[in-house]
Amino acid sequence: MRRRHHHVRIFLLVAAVVAALLATGAAGPPATAQPAHHRLIPSAVPATTPNILDGKTLAIAEVGRKVFVGGTFTTTQNSGTSAQLATPYLFAYDRVTGLVDQTFKPALDGSVVAVVPSPDGSALYVAGTFKLAGTTKVRNVIKIDTSTGALVTAFKNPSPNGSVLDLALVGNRLLLAGSFTTVATLPRAGLASLDATTGAVDDYLKVAVDTNHNWPSGTAKAPVGVAKLAASPDGTRLVAIGNFKHADGLDRDQVALLRLGPDNAYVDPTWATQRYTPACQKNAFDSYVRDVDFSPDSTYFVIAASGAGYNGTLCDSASRFDVAATGTAVEPTWQAATGQDSLLSVAVADNAVYVGGHQKWMNAIQSGADQQAGQVPRPGLAALDPANGMPLAWNPGRHPRGDGAEELLATDNGLYVGSDTEYIGNRQYYRARLAFFPVDGGTAPVAEPDPVLPRSLYRLSQNTVTTRQFTGTTATVPATVTTTGGANWNSVRGAFMIGSKLVYGATDNKLHYRTFNGTAFGPDTVIDPYNDPVWSDVVSSGGTATYRGRVPTLYGQLSGVTGMAYANHRLYYTRSGNSKVFWRWFSPDSMVVGAAEFSVPSSGFPLLRDARNLFYADGKLWAGMTTNDLWSMPVTDGIASGGWTKITGGGVDTNPQWSSGTVFLGPLANQAPTAAFTSACTGQTCGFDGRASDDADGTVTSWAWTFGDGGTGTGAQPDHVYSAPGTYQVTLTVTDDDGASTALVQPVTIAAPASTIGFRDATGKVTNATSIVTPVPASAQAGDGLIAVVSAGTTVVPAAPPGWTQVGAPATTDAMTTVVWQRVAAADDAGRNVTVSFGTTAVKATLTVLAYSGTDPGGPVAALAGSGETTATTAHRSPSVVSPGNWVVTVWADRSSTTTTFTEPAGATVRQRLIGTGGGHADQLVADTAGPVASGPYGDQVATTDAAAKGTSVTLALH
């Protein structure tokens, strides 16, 4: 049985919510989550990530730029390199550079299935099958430091007697799910809660699950327990899924919704579903629910399931359940079926529900059948419309599909995918077992609001286009519109606008669209997402079958359609000879039509057999009849709330044109977006947030920033490091999905702290010898802070010069080393030589000695951060260090045969520039801030060279 180990959201205590909820007694530990606030669908081109060379990826968590990845693997490899890195079961990497963090070494001896960070990002809770962390005995759940991977010893291992399969952090409680029956020897059947600081078991979550889902039939028998958890971001509910039939004695087959009260968690007595009661492939699957995730607004959750295809079940489907629904047999809002392939993972963002597995298709009408009418290719990955479960246009795919994508994590930055396969696309992008699709570079999903009146009502007839203003009670006299790019419209069978596109059916039994702005039509395009040109001819798995889809049955009905309208995420239509209104789910983004046909209850009306036009506005369907009359009926979400009413008077009956041609509501003029942003600065590092920017009639698709110091950025939430204090005019320009832009300028001030530090002088030397010598600056005085920095073409760390002390760890590549030493100047140090020895072998190296006045008498360096590059580059980026609010020194170095220039970043003051000669020479650039910076992180400064090479960077905070 395949098992999916889901990511877990982080929950942070919010004081205002605490007060409100405790006052009402309505909820448990109130919290907020880190849901994925996506305005864009991520790019279909995956970013650079490390490659995992064996096993599977089962767990992913993100903390700032750092990403933690767990699974059954043992070995990784940085992209574009050949060196294999030992990273058993859990590793970390930098989301921006894509490089493995080799200082994070948790040293586990067994698989990792779930990871969740602490609210402050300093620690990581880890669940799995391990028994050792380094040399320390542990059992299945631990808390480790996110910087080093070392155990947090204050958290005592609770020693569950069975597997821990998932984790959730709510307030200061760590919730466990698994197949255990005791935790710290206390009875806990499948669920438990711990103090997140100490690891002590408490009595908050004592809900017990029991009985195999398949009991008493089926031969598959897996351990009873909870496999996955999803806590609502508002902290009021918890969904538990897994292999059980009861929760605290209540019938809750495979799914239980729990309330998180102030004092305890309990099974919600008002919510139960029977849809997971049927057995699916009961001799292979004891339980077939695989993953669950809550929506960012806490109003619904989605369950992904496997189980093989069985009609009338939720097997091999993703299904949305709304928490507002109540009863003993709650039905899903929608079901997105694959046909006959497993879904193993789900992640819900604001604008999409992402599902992963080894599916070939989505949009099936039934389970247990392949190549059905309406199916669209979505190999191994899909994005679904949250409103109706329809596949969105995003379709990167995973081929080969393998066992499947067993881990999805959606964050503000994008979508992470963990699997057992090596490629994204049809063997297009090598991303072994881990991929990341960034939101930056993504596209806005097409969303069409329900139409409102008044609006222009267009009519197509033969070669003529007319328009009239329609308010719902009045209509102007039709006027002919001069248009370009038109056609003979006699073959059209119903039409409606989606953004700038006019979508229409035709007698060729196909859907078409043309762009239309009120006067100009674009070229005719057939709508056929079922035959994706990227996938249609790709053989899916053995034999000759491909991913080519099938058009829905609606296409065969189009020649008999008499009217069409879009609203409520539905395509409404009437058919010749039928006295009711039909509807199907519809995606404005992908133009995929739902495979299943429904009808509006109570929509029957004898005259509808003679309907010739249909449109939707103001919450009503409007039908034009062959009798030249106009009728309306209130309809919301496919349900009629009243009967048909004839509309008369106000010009509606004057020169009526309801009985022929094709009527549709015309396009609206685009409204420009509104730009808005906030900023928060720590030291000289500022974070900007433009997510409050809005577009009233569409979506903001891009954010372009100028930071007032020559720097630029993109994306909704960029960071920027200023090189000096001052006031900077920051400009944000936002662009919407129709290309309109708006800019906003706001000042950002970086305060200049006071400082007693001053620069004296620097000396330097380039050599190719067994040692390198340069003097202490002649202007140095007793008590000054002295700093010596050597960058040498060797991996051997040279010994400190006599009387000097090494600061921090060396920064290294596979071909060079940079080391920093410090000392406080004595009265006779000025002009004294500083000698660094390399042994008996000549080494190409550079050495700089700097003198600063007014530094701390214990030593000038307060903090140091170093980094080494694994790939050759001309842009050398410095690491960040936390400054106490004083000067910062940055050292960049490379080893190259062709570098001749080393250029400092804007605003930096150069103190030394050393360029070597000959093959494999060492180069060094030393600069400082020429004054204090604000306290907090400082770094991310880029120096450039004229030749690509691997290099080192060191950032020194002075005090």
Side-chain angles (χ1 to χ4, degrees):
M1 181 175 70
R2 294 186 182 89
R3 293 183 294 176
R4 153 87 174 127
H5 304 290
H6 178 52
H7 71 276
V8 186
R9 305 290 189 197
I10 309 169
F11 296 87
L12 308 174
L13 197 64
V14 178
V17 184
V18 172
L21 293 177
L22 290 182
T24 63
T32 58
Q34 287 188 331
H37 293 297
H38 289 179
R39 286 176 177 261
L40 303 180
I41 300 297
S43 168
V45 178
T48 299
T49 48
N51 292 310
I52 300 172
L53 304 183
D54 59 348
K56 294 182 178 182
T57 296
L58 301 175
I60 304 173
E62 179 192 87
V63 179
R65 284 178 49 160
K66 205 168 195 177
V67 181
F68 300 90
V69 184
T72 64
F73 49 78
T74 61
T75 309
T76 57
Q77 187 179 66
N78 285 320
S79 179
T81 68
S82 59
Q84 296 188 6
L85 307 176
T87 52
Y89 310 114
L90 179 63
F91 72 93
Y93 79 96
D94 187 291
R95 171 173 51 83
V96 177
T97 65
L99 300 177
V100 173
D101 180 354
Q102 298 188 54
T103 64
F104 178 78
K105 296 181 178 180
L108 303 180
D109 70 335
S111 300
V112 169
V113 299
V115 290
V116 56
S118 62
D120 64 0
S122 67
L124 189 72
Y125 299 92
V126 183
T129 61
F130 42 81
K131 296 180 180 179
L132 288 175
T135 58
T136 303
K137 291 183 178 181
V138 294
R139 186 178 177 88
N140 296 351
V141 59
I142 55 175
K143 183 179 182 181
I144 61 176
D145 184 279
T146 51
S147 295
T148 64
L151 282 173
V152 176
T153 56
F155 183 87
K156 303 303 180 183
N157 189 270
S159 298
N161 71 340
S163 297
V164 178
L165 301 176
D166 207 358
L167 303 172
L169 190 61
V170 181
N172 195 46
R173 285 193 176 93
L174 182 67
L175 309 184
L176 310 185
S179 57
F180 48 80
T181 57
T182 66
V183 178
T185 72
L186 297 173
R188 296 290 188 272
L191 290 167
S193 56
L194 312 178
D195 183 295
T197 303
T198 67
V201 182
D202 63 29
D203 290 335
Y204 181 78
L205 179 56
K206 297 174 64 177
V207 172
V209 300
D210 66 78
T211 311
N212 292 74
H213 159 68
N214 270 354
W215 187 88
S217 63
T219 60
K221 289 292 184 286
V224 173
V226 175
K228 305 293 173 293
L229 297 175
S232 61
D234 64 7
T236 63
R237 292 174 172 84
L238 180 75
V239 181
I241 66 173
N243 185 25
F244 55 86
K245 292 181 77 73
H246 311 110
D248 267 2
L250 299 174
D251 290 337
R252 295 292 188 273
D253 209 332
Q254 298 194 88
V255 181
L257 180 63
L258 279 61
R259 290 288 189 134
L260 300 178
D263 302 314
N264 69 301
Y266 58 94
V267 179
D268 189 336
T270 67
W271 194 99
T273 182
Q274 308 301 317
R275 292 304 307 275
Y276 293 101
T277 300
C280 290
Q281 196 75 323
K282 62 186 178 182
N283 292 331
F285 299 99
D286 196 350
S287 172
Y288 52 86
V289 288
R290 291 289 172 260
D291 198 11
V292 60
D293 197 17
F294 248 106
S295 65
D297 64 3
S298 301
T299 61
Y300 69 91
F301 56 90
V302 178
I303 295 174
S306 61
Y310 288 87
N311 256 346
T313 74
L314 300 184
C315 302
D316 287 350
S317 298
S319 302
R320 167 179 165 165
F321 291 90
D322 287 33
V323 298
T326 58
T328 59
V330 174
E331 290 289 326
T333 303
W334 49 255
Q335 175 187 1
T338 68
Q340 62 174 17
D341 289 315
S342 294
L343 293 180
L344 305 174
S345 54
V346 60
V348 183
D350 278 342
N351 57 12
V353 174
Y354 298 96
V355 292
H358 64 254
Q359 80 276 16
K360 297 187 287 291
W361 321 95
M362 296 303 301
N363 198 41
I365 194 172
Q366 60 183 349
S367 294
D370 214 350
Q371 297 181 325
Q372 302 173 35
Q375 283 183 317
V376 291
R378 292 296 185 271
L381 283 175
L384 310 178
D385 188 321
N388 56 20
M390 295 298 296
L392 299 177
W394 187 78
N395 189 21
R398 292 174 38 260
H399 180 80
R401 304 187 315 280
D403 286 346
E406 298 193 46
E407 170 64 11
L408 295 180
L409 172 64
T411 74
D412 284 356
N413 296 304
L415 178 72
Y416 296 88
V417 179
S419 70
D420 64 327
T421 57
E422 297 184 336
Y423 289 94
I424 296 298
N426 178 24
R427 302 181 185 272
Q428 184 176 8
Y429 301 104
Y430 182 65
R431 300 291 187 275
R433 297 169 180 83
L434 176 66
F436 173 59
F437 297 94
V439 169
D440 287 349
T443 57
V446 177
E448 183 70 13
D450 292 347
V452 294
L453 299 174
R455 195 158 170 180
S456 296
L457 195 63
Y458 285 80
R459 177 174 174 269
L460 309 174
S461 179
Q462 296 185 6
N463 297 311
T464 302
V465 179
T466 59
T467 185
R468 61 200 306 188
Q469 280 296 114
F470 182 64
T471 68
T473 57
T474 64
T476 59
V477 175
T480 299
V481 180
T482 301
T483 61
T484 60
N488 188 308
W489 303 107
N490 283 347
S491 63
V492 172
R493 296 294 182 265
F496 55 93
M497 291 295 302
I498 295 293
S500 61
K501 295 178 179 178
L502 176 66
V503 179
Y504 52 95
T507 54
D508 62 358
N509 280 334
K510 295 177 182 177
L511 279 180
H512 303 246
Y513 79 81
R514 295 173 182 261
T515 58
F516 181 56
N517 63 6
T519 58
F521 291 97
D524 176 86
T525 302
V526 174
I527 297 173
D528 187 10
Y530 316 95
N531 292 288
D532 188 317
V534 175
W535 294 104
S536 289
D537 295 324
V538 177
V539 176
S540 59
S541 54
T544 59
T546 71
Y547 291 110
R548 188 176 298 277
R550 302 291 186 273
V551 298
T553 55
L554 172 67
Y555 277 50
Q557 300 169 344
L558 283 172
S559 61
V561 165
T562 58
M564 291 196 298
Y566 172 81
N568 316 139
H569 310 284
R570 294 163 171 84
L571 170 59
Y572 294 98
Y573 56 99
T574 50
R575 297 188 350 223
S576 178
N578 284 273
S579 60
K580 55 186 175 181
V581 179
F582 299 92
W583 67 267
R584 295 175 186 245
W585 293 120
F586 181 77
S587 168
D589 184 69
S590 63
M591 299 287 188
V592 174
V593 176
E597 182 180 71
F598 307 91
S599 62
V600 177
S602 305
S603 66
F605 186 63
L607 283 176
L608 281 177
R609 293 180 180 274
D610 299 314
R612 285 297 176 266
N613 276 296
L614 195 70
F615 62 95
Y616 187 99
D618 284 0
K620 299 176 181 178
L621 278 170
W622 306 75
M625 306 298 178
T626 55
T627 56
N628 243 343
D629 298 318
L630 180 66
W631 295 72
S632 72
M633 179 177 68
V635 175
T636 303
D637 295 334
I639 304 296
S641 58
W644 288 99
T645 301
K646 184 177 179 180
I647 310 301
T648 186
V652 172
D653 306 314
T654 304
N655 298 317
Q657 295 181 330
W658 309 113
S659 62
S660 61
T662 299
V663 172
F664 64 94
L665 292 174
L668 295 173
N670 180 50
Q671 300 179 46
T674 300
F677 71 89
T678 59
S679 61
C681 301
T682 303
Q684 289 173 215
T685 299
C686 294
F688 297 90
D689 190 341
R691 291 179 299 173
S693 302
D694 192 31
D695 187 37
D697 60 346
T699 304
V700 175
T701 58
S702 68
W703 297 256
W705 304 79
T706 58
F707 296 117
D709 64 347
T712 60
T714 59
Q717 294 178 279
D719 294 326
H720 184 67
V721 180
Y722 290 95
S723 60
T727 296
Y728 302 89
Q729 297 299 320
V730 177
T731 302
L732 168 63
T733 302
V734 294
T735 303
D736 68 13
D737 48 351
D738 286 310
S741 297
T742 302
L744 173 67
V745 181
Q746 293 182 166
V748 170
T749 299
I750 307 296
S755 174
T756 60
I757 294 177
F759 176 71
R760 296 277 194 202
D761 203 354
T763 65
K765 183 69 177 291
V766 179
T767 194
N768 179 13
T770 57
S771 64
I772 187 169
V773 182
T774 194
V776 172
S779 58
Q781 299 180 18
D784 284 353
L786 303 180
I787 300 170
V789 186
V790 68
S791 299
T794 177
T795 58
V796 177
V797 179
W804 291 75
T805 301
Q806 182 174 319
V807 182
T812 63
T813 71
D814 56 6
M816 77 176 304
T817 300
T818 294
V819 190
V820 177
W821 299 282
Q822 68 174 347
R823 83 179 252 125
V824 177
D828 60 349
D829 272 352
R832 186 186 299 272
N833 281 340
V834 179
T835 302
V836 178
S837 298
F838 302 115
T840 59
T841 304
V843 173
K844 294 188 177 182
T846 60
L847 174 63
T848 295
V849 176
L850 306 104
Y852 289 89
S853 63
T855 56
D856 191 278
V861 180
L864 175 147
S867 63
E869 293 159 347
T870 59
T871 57
T873 180
T874 59
H876 303 278
R877 187 179 301 273
S878 66
S880 289
V881 71
V882 177
S883 168
N886 226 312
W887 290 48
V888 176
V889 179
T890 306
V891 182
W892 299 269
D894 76 349
R895 185 180 182 189
S896 169
S897 299
T898 53
T899 295
T900 60
T901 62
F902 224 134
T903 304
E904 70 279 6
T909 300
V910 175
R911 303 304 186 186
Q912 190 65 265
R913 196 188 323 263
L914 301 172
I915 304 296
T917 58
H921 63 255
D923 310 299
Q924 189 184 77
L925 174 65
V926 182
D928 63 30
T929 54
V933 300
S935 60
Y938 182 91
D940 205 33
Q941 301 294 298
V942 179
T944 57
T945 53
D946 59 347
K950 296 178 185 177
T952 60
S953 298
V954 177
T955 308
L956 306 166
L958 305 187
H959 65 163

